[in-house]
Amino acid sequence: MHYATFNRGGTREELFTSREAIEAVKNGQPMPSGTVITMEDYRNDELYRYVVMERRAGWGTRHSPELRTGEWEFQWFNPDRTAKTDESFDRCRSCHTSQASQDFVFTVDQMRRAK
Ligand code: HEC
């Protein structure tokens, strides 16, 4: 389900995840294994990329402790839905580690407010 929109100048982001993930956040539970959060990133109303986080039980162990974001893995998909291959995604994890206290996700408040 769609749960948030961010507009900043020429950039617009549309955020989506499953109903089950939203319910878990509202109930103060961890988002279930298999949860995918997708953010569509538009530049001047043209789709620029999809940035995606997915959690699966047991994922994340290949990363060093400083760059580990729990069981979440990150990916960037091009508008044609092919995966971006020339990225290590360390940068994604490094920034998202700042949200460790809320399961490495920035937009939990928006999830709590989602209808
Ligand atoms: C410099 C910090 C930073 C980096 C680097 C970064 N993000 Fe984020 N990410 C954010 C912020 C802040 C948000 C909340 C939405 C917003 O304010 O734009 C967010 C939101 C997200 C979301 C929606 C779920 C959530 O956490 O709210 C996904 C999915 C996501 N980012 C994936 C990625 C991926 C994939 C990469 C690397 C290609 C990445 N991010 C790199 C800061 C970052």
Side-chain angles (χ1 to χ4, degrees), residues 17 19 27 30-31 38 42-43 49-50 56 59-61 69 72-74 80-81 93-94 99 101-102 111:
T17 192
R19 167 78 52 194
N27 294 326
M31 287 178 242
T38 301
Y42 293 87
R43 308 286 162 95
R49 61 176 180 168
Y50 303 91
R56 295 229 187 149
W59 277 11
T61 50
T69 42
W72 294 99
E73 291 287 358
F74 289 75
D80 67 3
R81 303 190 171 193
R93 281 190 301 278
S94 148
Q99 304 307 302
S101 67
Q102 44 182 45
M111 290 184 181

Side-chain angles (χ1 to χ4, degrees), residues 21-61:
I22 300 273
E23 290 305 322
V25 169
K26 285 180 191 278
N27 294 326
Q29 305 287 325
M31 287 178 242
S33 174
T35 294
V36 175
I37 310 175
T38 301
M39 188 162 85
E40 296 175 349
D41 179 356
Y42 293 87
R43 308 286 162 95
N44 298 317
D45 283 330
E46 208 173 304
L47 183 61
Y48 171 64
R49 61 176 180 168
Y50 303 91
V51 289
V52 176
M53 298 170 62
E54 179 170 353
R55 146 177 276 166
R56 295 229 187 149
W59 277 11
T61 50

Side-chain angles (χ1 to χ4, degrees), residues 99-111:
Q99 304 307 302
S101 67
Q102 44 182 45
D103 212 0
F104 306 97
V105 174
F106 281 92
T107 51
V108 286
D109 285 345
Q110 285 79 0
M111 290 184 181

Side-chain angles (χ1 to χ4, degrees), residues 6-21:
F6 290 93
N7 268 300
R8 289 189 196 94
T11 300
R12 177 168 53 91
E13 295 167 347
E14 303 288 357
L15 286 83
F16 302 86
T17 192
S18 63
R19 167 78 52 194
E20 290 73 18

